[in-house]
Amino acid sequence: FLLHFLKRYKQFCQTLGHIGENEGGIDKFSRGYESFGVHRCADGGLYCKEWAPGAEGVFLTGDFNGWNPFSHPYKKMDFGKWELYLPPKQDKSVVVPHGSKLKVVITSKSGEILYRISPWAKYVVREGDNVNYDWIHWDPEHSYKFKHSRPKKPRSLRIYESHVGISSHEGKVASYKHFTCNVLPRIKDLGYNCIQLMAIMEHAYYASFGYQVTSFFAASSRFGTPEELKELVDTAHSMGIIVLLDLVHSHASKNSEDGLNMFDGTDSCYFHSGPRGTHDLWDSRLFAYSGWEVLRFLLSNIRWWLEEYGFDGFRFDGVTSMLYHHHGMGQGFSGDYHEYFGLQVDEDALTYLMLANHLIHTLYPDSITIAEDVSGMPALCSPISQGGVGFDYRLAMAIPDKWIQLLKEFKDEDWNMGNIVFTLTNRRYLEKCIAYAESHDQQALVGDKTLAFWLMDAEMYTNMSVLTPFTPVIDRGIQLHKMIRLITHGLGGEGYLNFMGNEFGHPEWLDFPRKGNNESYHYARRQFHLTDDDLLRYKFLNNFDRDMNRLEERCGWLSAPQAFVSEKHEDNKIIVFERAGLIFIFNFHPSKSYTDYRVGTALPVCTFKIVLDSDAPEYGGHKRLDHSTNFFSEAFEHNGRPHSLLVYIPSRVALVLQNADLPN
């Protein structure tokens, strides 16, 4: 497939070259937000600029002119652009003060008069019972000043996937302030060094999880003001935590009153015209990635979030939909390489993703980009100079599906150890993956639920008190929850992701207020108070998650080469692997414990100690192992490893051993 890679790289170079010739380089090109939209000039006047190639006329209206639709016309420029200059008032004060409401008025070629929000609007709000958003001119006298520098790129990426709105245990939309004060300290304590913020780009429909974006440059006002989001990011930085934005450039909301759709009165403008411009499954609009002004808009949007809000990178949503004309719909993706090349690939979207990664890593070399791609497109995470797309990581999306499948379809004694290992290790050499046992996806589906709820279900309401004896269901659930997370963390990738609350086994599922549930917030919240209650068992899972992350911070297995799996024994239900100088041992058998079980190692003859034990009492375990015990390896070959040691492995337990001679 060499010619395909050469073609992709050539198209990238040509587009980058054209940007240089016509715009003075990608640096200048990606600053569209400095001129487009509405801007206060030094003299107190206002400069306005829009791209509306299908419009017959463009006007500005709002509080400032008593909502006269035609008193302030834009002047037509080349290439479908329009501009307007409003001089300051006679007393030199600004003609449109901070907090004013505005609208762009478009007269279409068919004679319609359309009221629109600028695609470059920085703040939009929905007041009272209004269905649509209002565009608010955001120009505060004192904008937030960042106090802390960006943390360095983490050696190992441990991501806490978060949604600000559901971060309170109360049945309401939580705020940026609430997240900053109450959730950030938890994330720090748990040992995560990265937050992935969802639903920040403004979206009219709360239940869309933020994936039907209406205003790309506006931070969601339902959580607070832009200044409060900046404070959140700055506070995270002060804790040494980097912050990624869930970036939705794969599609846009079909809303026209307060979205990009039909902005200039045509079905094209930012999108493909006709059927190609609509995603049938998502009922949303699809960008025309080859469009010059579309590229300016999207690349400027990336830069805006990096520079205005201090984000440290992005998780690109819906990359599979972008990469292929079929958008991944009805595709099994068997792994046949012909599926990744040819006419089904959207070369324009591919070029855009290469440009986006080039821009991000040129501006901020420590930035991180993650691709949500279910197809397994090769070279997605290879450098652009090698014909790759330039992402740092891809999400290992098969792993959570495997855990759900095992819990739903198989008895514990029928779990296939080889299949688990295959799923966790099935990634290309030097292609970094983010492993996760569950994310928001697994709970956002109606009828699905958290892993903890799959494991323990209704008993989570009645038998999670430490004052009652373990029931078989709760015991199994707590032990497997820890094991699933540790093996995913240790074996599944070069980064790890957890969705907020799931670290302590958050019960139930996730469901936003909507007509189907009578607009209830009952399932659109995170019950952090459960883990703070010493009488409940949730604290055990929280403790284990924290210590698992802290051990990784100390030993760095995520940044180490892939693990060597020395054993996957089907009858014994044992998995053993080595990574970063540690021995990971898992006994998934529901009832069998093993004394003097021989475990192979490539490490030299030495003394080993337990550094993490899922059976410890502080993790809700049964305390069957004595942590003062040392294990001695010997020059006895086993399972293809030159040395081995004998270990006691209780049933349903995960152990991590380390050379006792190494410093803590």
Side-chain angles (χ1 to χ4, degrees), residues 215-290:
S215 291
F216 284 75
F217 286 82
S220 182
S221 59
R222 56 170 59 85
F223 311 137
T225 67
E227 312 312 304
E228 288 164 348
L229 174 57
K230 291 173 188 177
E231 182 185 30
L232 188 164
V233 174
D234 198 24
T235 306
H237 286 170
S238 76
M239 298 175 170
I241 298 170
I242 65 168
V243 189
L244 306 182
L245 176 74
D246 215 348
L247 188 79
V248 187
H249 281 182
S250 48
H251 63 130
S253 168
K254 281 180 78 171
N255 288 18
S256 55
E257 296 284 331
D258 50 11
L260 281 185
N261 191 25
M262 304 289 291
F263 173 67
D264 64 353
T266 72
D267 77 333
S268 52
C269 201
Y270 288 95
F271 309 112
H272 289 293
S273 182
R276 191 181 172 192
T278 302
H279 195 296
D280 295 332
L281 201 61
W282 296 343
D283 194 31
S284 54
R285 297 304 314 273
L286 297 170
F287 288 104
Y289 297 105
S290 59

Side-chain angles (χ1 to χ4, degrees), residues 175-426:
S175 66
Y176 296 125
K177 282 273 188 191
H178 170 85
F179 192 92
T180 302
C181 298
N182 297 287
V183 185
L184 281 181
R186 291 182 183 276
I187 296 170
K188 176 67 176 172
D189 179 65
L190 283 164
Y192 291 93
N193 55 19
C194 175
I195 301 166
Q196 182 180 301
L197 279 184
M198 305 177 62
I200 295 299
M201 301 166 81
E202 191 59 273
H203 50 292
Y205 185 42
Y206 189 43
S208 77
F209 233 133
Y211 293 125
Q212 294 280 350
V213 176
T214 45
S215 291
F216 284 75
F217 286 82
S220 182
S221 59
R222 56 170 59 85
F223 311 137
T225 67
E227 312 312 304
E228 288 164 348
L229 174 57
K230 291 173 188 177
E231 182 185 30
L232 188 164
V233 174
D234 198 24
T235 306
H237 286 170
S238 76
M239 298 175 170
I241 298 170
I242 65 168
V243 189
L244 306 182
L245 176 74
D246 215 348
L247 188 79
V248 187
H249 281 182
S250 48
H251 63 130
S253 168
K254 281 180 78 171
N255 288 18
S256 55
E257 296 284 331
D258 50 11
L260 281 185
N261 191 25
M262 304 289 291
F263 173 67
D264 64 353
T266 72
D267 77 333
S268 52
C269 201
Y270 288 95
F271 309 112
H272 289 293
S273 182
R276 191 181 172 192
T278 302
H279 195 296
D280 295 332
L281 201 61
W282 296 343
D283 194 31
S284 54
R285 297 304 314 273
L286 297 170
F287 288 104
Y289 297 105
S290 59
W292 194 257
E293 293 303 326
V294 177
L295 283 179
R296 187 198 307 277
F297 180 79
L298 294 174
L299 292 172
S300 297
N301 189 234
I302 283 172
R303 187 168 193 150
W304 169 256
W305 293 107
L306 288 171
E307 306 219 329
E308 183 70 16
Y309 286 93
F311 281 96
D312 303 288
F314 305 95
R315 178 257 199 193
F316 279 69
D317 175 69
V319 168
T320 307
S321 175
M322 299 172 72
L323 290 173
Y324 308 97
H325 293 297
H326 53 61
H327 309 300
M329 292 188 286
Q331 303 295 315
F333 293 112
S334 65
D336 184 327
Y337 271 57
H338 289 90
E339 296 171 335
Y340 306 123
F341 303 97
L343 296 177
Q344 68 268 33
V345 176
D346 188 333
E347 302 284 353
D348 295 333
L350 198 70
T351 300
Y352 164 66
L353 290 171
M354 294 168 80
L355 288 168
N357 276 300
H358 171 75
L359 174 70
I360 293 162
H361 293 112
T362 300
L363 285 175
Y364 296 100
D366 271 356
S367 287
I368 290 169
T369 58
I370 302 169
E372 188 213 23
D373 169 40
V374 73
S375 76
M377 166 74 80
L380 198 65
C381 299
S382 296
I384 294 168
S385 59
Q386 296 176 12
V389 186
F391 284 100
D392 295 297
Y393 298 87
R394 72 171 344 126
L395 290 175
M397 299 178 73
I399 295 174
D401 292 344
K402 174 55 62 179
W403 292 124
I404 293 291
Q405 181 200 22
L406 286 172
L407 293 176
K408 285 169 76 171
E409 299 177 14
F410 294 91
K411 296 177 183 176
D412 294 7
E413 53 268 31
D414 294 333
W415 285 18
N416 185 302
M417 299 295 104
N419 188 245
I420 290 172
V421 168
F422 174 78
T423 304
L424 288 167
T425 57
N426 183 25

Side-chain angles (χ1 to χ4, degrees), residues 582-601:
L582 301 170
I583 304 175
F584 292 76
I585 306 168
F586 295 83
N587 179 4
F588 280 100
H589 202 286
S591 58
K592 280 188 186 175
S593 299
Y594 304 98
T595 53
D596 291 339
Y597 197 92
R598 189 166 290 280
V599 171
T601 177

